[in-house]
Amino acid sequence: MTGRRRLGLVAATATLLAAAPLSVIFDSWVWLMQCILAVGLVAGAAVLTRTLRIPGWGQALAMVLTLLLVLTWMFPSGDEILGLIPGPDTFEHFGQLFGQAGEDTRNYGVPVPDRDALQFITVLGVGGCAIAVDLLTVGMRKPALAGLPMLAIYSVPVAIFVDSVPAVPFIVGAIGFLWLLVADNVDRVRRFGRRFTGDGRDVDVWEPSPLAAAGRRLAAVGVAAAVLLPLVVPGLTTGLLSRLTQVGTGGAGSGFGGGGNGRVNLFSSLSGSLTQSETKDMIQVTTNEEDPFYLRLAVADVVNAQGFANRTPTGQQVTRGLPDPRQTRRPGVQFAEYKASVKILDLTMAFAPIYSTPVATDELGAAWNFDPNTQVVFSTRTTTRDKEYSFDYVRANYRPEALRESQPVTDDTLRALTTVPKDAVVEQLVAGLIKGKETDYDKVMAIYNHFSRDNGFTYNLQTTSGTSGSEIAAFLQNKAGYCQQYAAAMAWMVRQAGIPARVAFGFTRGGDRDGNTWTITNRNAHAWTEVYFDGFGWVPFDATPVSGVVGSTRSAWAPDVDAPDPVESSSTTPTAPNATSSGGATDLERPDRNFDDPALAGGGGTGSSGGSTTALWIVGIAALLIALLLVPALRRSLTRRRRHAATVKELQPVTPLAATGATDITVTTETTQARADAHAAWDELIDTMIDYRVPIDPTETPRVTAQRLVREAELESQPAESATLLGRAEERARYARRPLQGGELTEALTHVRKGLSRSATRRTRLVATLMPPSVMLRWRLATGDASAVAMGFFSRIRESLVRFSPRRLLASRAR
């Protein structure tokens, strides 16, 4: 393979390595398989065109067409010509994928699931960068400029993450770029001449060049400096320094996941938290309130055809103070002030969980902001990982009579929160529920009371999550779902009635209480509805059945619709639900069920099976990697055993050489076998010298090689005598009529190997054992020979095609 073709393959591999940071964006590795296939085919097209000596513009055109065909095959529209050639409908489909990718980036948080639009953009981007890197590296011989498209790939996760991309993907990408530079430099040196050392000696095939070793050291220092430099530069509040000291991995925590600037799909994150098979402690909160309400994280108040979504929050730093609703006290509302402290156990988010409504914070710092419209605490520079903070908050208690006095909103900003897409089912249902209701509160209560057991509504986790109009209509007809669907459906219906509403996300207090401290898990993730009443602000309503949520709380203005008796207190805590209740959730449906309980194992299996399967996969992959790493050592061991078997003394008749006077030498009855034994012992000695980095000179005789081995390896006593014996045996096998043969050759090999091991460094011994250079050299030579044979075959085919001319056929027919 020529240098240009080899450099093209290195450029393709370096591009894939540069795409390693994209692994933090996706939830699976499907995108990587698609990128490997696309980049591999593009690189194959480049190699083929260069083999046929097509000009540079033809090479670029071939790579672009190959990428287009790959995209058409991976993301078909269904109207392709012959199933592969793109047509007008294909490009229209690609345009739709572009538009859908924009929607997915707004609706999904990191890590994103397998979405065709996002995978299309990824394959297109990585494939395009592979073409640019190839043209810059091979066509223009400017490998340094090839770092720009590779940097463009790295900038994607940097722009999405709140904190820095983890260090490992960055190191992998940097290694790919450095490999590209080294490959280009090696190709230039090969064009110049042979490698040599400073003393004028040629560098052996297996011996690394001193300049190459220096380059590797400089590359390692450069990568280490790029990773460690942010740790010592003062004033950096983002990047690796903050990630290690404050933020963490930026997405490795549990719960709702992470996302920059509030761009996280709260619905999908909530669904993932409730359906996880493993229960994790996420938050510890201590409050002096006896019956606390829900911890709030974020709010979804934007509705489109895809459902509810959260907008990017805006606000000022919490250190500048928070608004106090008691300053605009209205009759019919009672406020009670409490204090709470939060300790994050396993939650990495750009939103801080707080109770509604905070009036003061402590230990959050200037990196956190407060949005007065959504009443959420957020950050654009850090996350909640391992955070501890405290805050003061007020709990509002609304009298239903006062809420009935609220007038319809007239503010245009609030009126915008009453718009929803057209849905005939929802419109008809809401019109029937609010018919005859005069006040906003009565309309809201009519909708709220609709989600009752008497109307057939039940709690069930085993249902398709959805927030779009058609899915909400399906939920209202099927009447089975969990908090996500109840909250979205009620907010949708309240908006349909012309009243501002939104969906709030957070956690219930759960059931694990120790004094004033509540331990909240991922099972306590929850969603509820907030309705705006003029003069009162945002008032919470939770339509999810009480029996389905541990830690569920009801109030006087929004009582439990399934309770047998009216709720008299302002805040009640339901007792443990009855598993046989027709409207409640069974133990298998509850989000906080114990997956390790054998009593719940029936039907769905134990929750630990997923973890056990994952552990088995990890162990299996680790064992496979170890086995692959041991292949060279195993190959070397088998070769040594075969050679030793050939030189071991066998029980067969021998003939003394009395005629020559050499009574101390024995020969086999078969001279041919004796020579083969001596050659096997000598081959083993040569491989042992290669393994221990002793130079080999093919022009030397066996005796001179043995003497040099004794001298350079500083062998003494028995190892030195054994090396001399092996050299003499090989010399006699080559030139004498009667070669030397006997069991002493095996013992001599053992003594020489032990002597070389004692004089070698620890690193040399380790490499000789695990990755024997003799085996690696033999494999490299075999690979080179196979490549030469293949290239010769393809060259003959190319010459045949070049010699072929249609004119000859036409001329022969003319005759």
Side-chain angles (χ1 to χ4, degrees):
M1 181 177 292
T2 63
R4 289 168 60 86
R5 300 169 192 157
R6 184 186 301 106
L7 193 59
L9 296 180
V10 173
T13 307
T15 304
L16 290 174
L17 293 177
L22 296 178
S23 61
V24 301
I25 298 179
F26 291 90
D27 192 35
S28 68
W29 296 97
V30 176
W31 70 273
L32 180 59
M33 298 298 102
Q34 294 174 334
C35 289
I36 291 176
L37 180 59
V39 174
L41 293 176
V42 168
V47 171
L48 179 62
T49 53
R50 293 187 181 110
T51 302
L52 300 177
R53 300 184 183 279
I54 296 178
W57 64 267
Q59 300 173 14
L61 180 61
M63 288 187 287
V64 172
L65 291 177
T66 301
L67 179 60
L68 178 60
L69 292 177
V70 171
L71 291 173
T72 305
W73 175 63
M74 289 184 178
F75 309 97
S77 64
D79 297 322
E80 286 75 19
I81 303 174
L82 300 178
L84 185 62
I85 302 176
D89 293 336
T90 303
F91 293 100
E92 182 179 355
H93 176 60
F94 287 171
Q96 295 174 356
L97 289 177
F98 271 109
Q100 184 61 41
E103 292 291 336
D104 290 344
T105 55
R106 290 188 291 270
N107 295 334
Y108 288 89
V110 176
V112 298
D114 293 332
R115 301 281 295 177
D116 286 343
L118 297 177
Q119 292 172 353
F120 170 80
I121 293 295
T122 303
V123 175
L124 176 61
V126 175
C129 288
I131 296 175
V133 171
D134 185 276
L135 294 177
L136 290 172
T137 303
V138 184
M140 301 176 60
R141 300 311 298 264
K142 302 290 185 182
L145 293 179
L148 294 178
M150 298 169 70
L151 182 62
I153 300 177
Y154 180 75
S155 65
V156 174
V158 171
I160 294 177
F161 264 52
V162 175
D163 47 352
S164 292
V165 175
V168 174
F170 167 78
I171 294 175
V172 173
I175 290 176
F177 178 61
L178 293 174
W179 184 21
L180 183 63
L181 297 179
V182 170
D184 178 77
N185 183 69
V186 170
D187 183 69
R188 293 175 185 271
V189 172
R190 284 176 177 171
R191 292 173 181 270
F192 176 80
R194 295 181 301 173
R195 298 187 302 161
F196 59 93
T197 59
D199 55 4
R201 178 175 58 85
D202 286 345
V203 180
D204 289 321
V205 183
W206 59 84
E207 184 176 352
S209 171
L211 293 178
R216 287 192 294 269
R217 287 193 291 269
L218 290 175
V221 171
V223 174
V227 174
L228 300 178
L229 186 61
L231 296 175
V232 297
V233 175
L236 292 180
T237 58
T238 58
L240 182 62
L241 179 62
S242 295
R243 190 180 68 81
L244 292 178
T245 57
Q246 302 177 27
V247 182
T249 59
S254 302
F256 289 92
N261 299 331
R263 300 214 172 180
V264 53
N265 189 312
L266 299 173
F267 283 93
S268 61
S269 300
L270 173 62
S271 176
S273 298
L274 293 178
T275 56
Q276 287 181 5
S277 60
E278 182 181 0
T279 301
K280 296 182 179 180
D281 293 340
M282 301 178 65
I283 306 171
Q284 277 188 351
V285 56
T286 302
T287 177
N288 55 357
E289 185 179 6
E290 181 64 24
D291 296 318
F293 197 64
Y294 303 148
L295 277 175
R296 295 175 81 255
L297 270 178
V299 168
D301 56 4
V302 179
V303 179
N304 50 36
Q306 285 71 38
F308 281 89
N310 60 309
R311 71 180 75 211
T312 302
T314 58
Q316 63 180 8
Q317 298 173 342
V318 295
T319 55
R320 297 184 180 181
L322 304 179
D324 192 338
R326 293 172 294 185
Q327 297 177 357
T328 57
R329 182 186 296 267
R330 177 168 179 167
V333 183
Q334 296 179 351
F335 292 98
E337 183 173 354
Y338 303 98
K339 188 176 184 62
S341 60
V342 175
K343 180 180 181 181
I344 303 298
L345 303 178
D346 190 5
L347 178 68
T348 303
M349 281 202 68
F351 298 100
I354 57 172
Y355 287 121
S356 178
T357 306
V359 294
T361 62
D362 189 19
E363 300 177 7
L364 273 178
W368 292 88
N369 306 319
F370 179 77
D371 187 342
N373 295 321
T374 59
Q375 295 182 347
V376 298
V377 176
F378 68 97
S379 176
T380 58
R381 295 184 293 168
T382 184
T383 66
T384 56
R385 182 178 175 88
D386 298 330
K387 198 71 177 174
E388 295 186 27
Y389 55 93
S390 59
F391 57 91
D392 298 332
Y393 67 98
V394 293
R395 174 78 178 274
N397 186 16
Y398 306 95
R399 289 192 300 108
E401 297 79 6
L403 293 177
R404 285 191 174 91
E405 298 176 0
S406 176
Q407 300 299 317
V409 296
T410 57
D411 184 80
D412 292 338
T413 303
L414 293 172
R415 292 294 302 173
L417 300 180
T418 63
T419 58
V420 289
K422 293 287 186 179
D423 192 294
V425 175
V426 178
E427 292 178 2
Q428 182 179 0
L429 177 61
V430 172
L433 291 175
I434 66 174
K435 184 177 180 180
K437 307 299 181 182
E438 299 295 335
T439 67
D440 286 352
Y441 176 74
D442 290 331
K443 295 178 182 179
V444 173
M445 287 303 299
I447 296 173
Y448 175 77
N449 291 329
H450 177 70
F451 298 98
S452 66
R453 183 190 313 167
D454 295 337
N455 290 327
F457 283 90
T458 59
Y459 185 93
N460 194 341
L461 275 177
Q462 306 302 323
T463 182
T464 303
S465 62
T467 59
S468 65
S470 59
E471 291 181 349
I472 287 184
F475 164 71
L476 293 175
Q477 293 173 348
N478 298 331
K479 301 182 179 181
Y482 53 103
C483 58
Q484 166 178 320
Q485 289 133 330
Y486 279 95
M490 180 176 176
W492 192 293
M493 295 171 67
V494 171
R495 287 192 172 202
Q496 185 66 52
I499 305 172
R502 64 191 185 187
V503 179
F505 295 85
F507 299 90
T508 69
R509 61 194 178 190
D512 187 357
R513 179 176 183 177
D514 184 9
N516 292 332
T517 301
W518 304 81
T519 300
I520 299 173
T521 70
N522 57 310
R523 294 284 169 210
N524 305 129
H526 193 50
W528 62 97
T529 306
E530 292 182 344
V531 181
Y532 187 86
F533 291 94
D534 187 35
F536 298 91
W538 293 98
V539 180
F541 289 82
D542 189 359
T544 307
V546 172
S547 58
V549 181
V550 171
S552 180
T553 301
R554 293 297 184 264
S555 56
W557 66 88
D560 183 7
V561 296
D562 296 328
D565 297 321
V567 179
E568 299 179 357
S569 61
S570 61
S571 178
T572 62
T573 305
T575 59
N578 184 2
T580 61
S581 175
S582 61
T586 64
D587 288 339
L588 289 175
E589 297 169 340
R590 296 175 63 92
D592 61 338
R593 62 191 186 277
N594 183 8
F595 282 81
D596 298 326
D597 188 355
L600 302 182
T606 60
S608 60
S609 60
S612 300
T613 304
T614 303
L616 290 177
W617 273 104
I618 294 175
V619 172
I621 293 175
L624 179 61
L625 292 177
I626 294 175
L628 292 177
L629 291 176
L630 293 179
V631 168
L634 179 61
R635 174 64 177 172
R636 184 71 179 91
S637 177
L638 294 176
T639 302
R640 183 183 298 117
R641 179 176 299 181
R642 176 175 54 80
R643 290 168 176 171
H644 283 185
T647 58
V648 171
K649 184 177 180 179
E650 299 179 359
L651 296 178
Q652 51 185 307
V654 297
T655 303
L657 299 179
T660 60
T663 58
D664 58 331
I665 298 178
T666 60
V667 297
T668 62
T669 56
E670 297 293 339
T671 304
T672 302
Q673 182 63 36
R675 296 185 193 280
D677 295 345
H679 292 330
W682 183 253
D683 291 340
E684 176 62 23
L685 178 64
I686 293 298
D687 283 354
T688 303
M689 294 173 62
I690 293 175
D691 291 340
Y692 287 94
R693 302 296 184 180
V694 179
I696 304 297
D697 189 351
T699 63
E700 294 179 342
T701 63
R703 179 177 299 181
V704 174
T705 299
Q707 293 174 353
R708 183 170 56 83
L709 171 62
V710 173
R711 182 175 62 257
E712 293 185 2
E714 299 180 354
L715 300 180
E716 298 178 354
S717 63
Q718 198 167 15
E721 296 175 359
S722 299
T724 303
L725 174 62
L726 293 170
R728 188 169 73 252
E730 174 64 13
E731 192 174 47
R732 288 183 61 85
R734 291 185 184 181
Y735 311 118
R737 294 180 58 187
R738 296 182 180 275
L740 177 67
Q741 193 274 340
E744 65 272 11
L745 297 182
T746 301
E747 299 176 0
L749 288 171
T750 303
H751 293 318
V752 172
R753 187 166 57 253
K754 292 182 178 179
L756 290 174
S757 178
R758 284 194 295 267
S759 61
T761 62
R762 180 179 301 177
R763 180 178 180 274
T764 301
R765 291 196 299 269
L766 184 63
V767 173
T769 303
L770 299 180
M771 302 290 289
S774 59
V775 176
M776 306 307 295
L777 174 62
R778 190 171 290 106
W779 285 354
R780 285 198 298 269
L781 294 177
T783 303
D785 293 342
S787 176
V789 172
M791 293 308 301
F793 174 74
F794 287 114
S795 297
R796 289 191 296 272
I797 294 178
R798 174 179 172 275
E799 292 174 359
S800 301
L801 294 176
V802 170
R803 288 196 300 267
F804 174 76
S805 177
R807 296 179 179 178
R808 296 180 181 178
L809 298 177
L810 297 176
S812 61
R813 290 185 178 182
R815 296 195 186 108

